[in-house]
Amino acid sequence: QVQLVESGGGLVQAGGSLKLSCVASEIIGGIATMGWYRQAPGKQREMVARMTTGGDINYADFVKGRFTISRNNSKNTVYLQMNSLKPEATAVYSCHLVWYRGTYWGQGTQVTVSS
């Protein structure tokens, strides 16, 4: 069972930045997609950004130009750099892995953006 552990969430003022990290408990080799989803109170979970081991990246329209997803394979870690944060970005951000061994979710990290 792969464990995904997120960190980096917190409280930030509008316009500020945060960098989220997600560490996998083992090396993710082969074809896989890792990414970030978020769920705000009373709303459905939505994709924020994701990238494949081949380097293909997708961003939700609402974060393009402000958020950047990246990966450090040697550290089994995927990052989400979030800049110019808006209050509507307040949500629990969860790491997601799709791999040949299954689909995995992290516990999530809270991001709160104050106006």
Side-chain angles (χ1 to χ4, degrees):
Q1 185 79 359
V2 179
Q3 305 294 325
L4 302 174
V5 180
E6 304 98 333
S7 62
L11 174 63
V12 65
Q13 288 188 333
S17 299
L18 283 174
K19 186 174 184 177
L20 307 182
S21 300
C22 170
V23 180
S25 59
E26 58 186 274
I27 296 173
I28 308 300
I31 299 173
T33 300
M34 290 189 74
W36 294 91
Y37 285 69
R38 72 184 188 187
Q39 187 167 22
K43 295 187 177 181
Q44 289 190 330
R45 185 160 53 191
E46 57 186 355
M47 191 275 291
V48 178
R50 60 190 175 198
M51 68 184 303
T52 69
T53 47
D56 294 326
I57 294 176
N58 296 111
Y59 292 104
D61 287 342
F62 56 78
V63 303
K64 286 182 179 178
R66 298 186 297 115
F67 290 13
T68 303
I69 188 171
S70 60
R71 186 168 175 172
N72 186 327
N73 291 329
S74 65
K75 295 183 178 180
N76 305 327
T77 302
V78 64
Y79 305 96
L80 184 67
Q81 176 68 48
M82 305 187 294
N83 298 326
S84 302
L85 282 163
K86 303 175 182 179
E88 51 263 42
T90 294
V92 175
Y93 286 70
S94 299
C95 185
H96 181 241
L97 167 65
V98 178
W99 199 24
Y100 77 96
R101 285 171 49 184
T103 299
Y104 304 92
W105 289 95
Q107 294 284 352
T109 184
Q110 176 70 45
V111 171
T112 302
V113 184
S114 63
S115 57

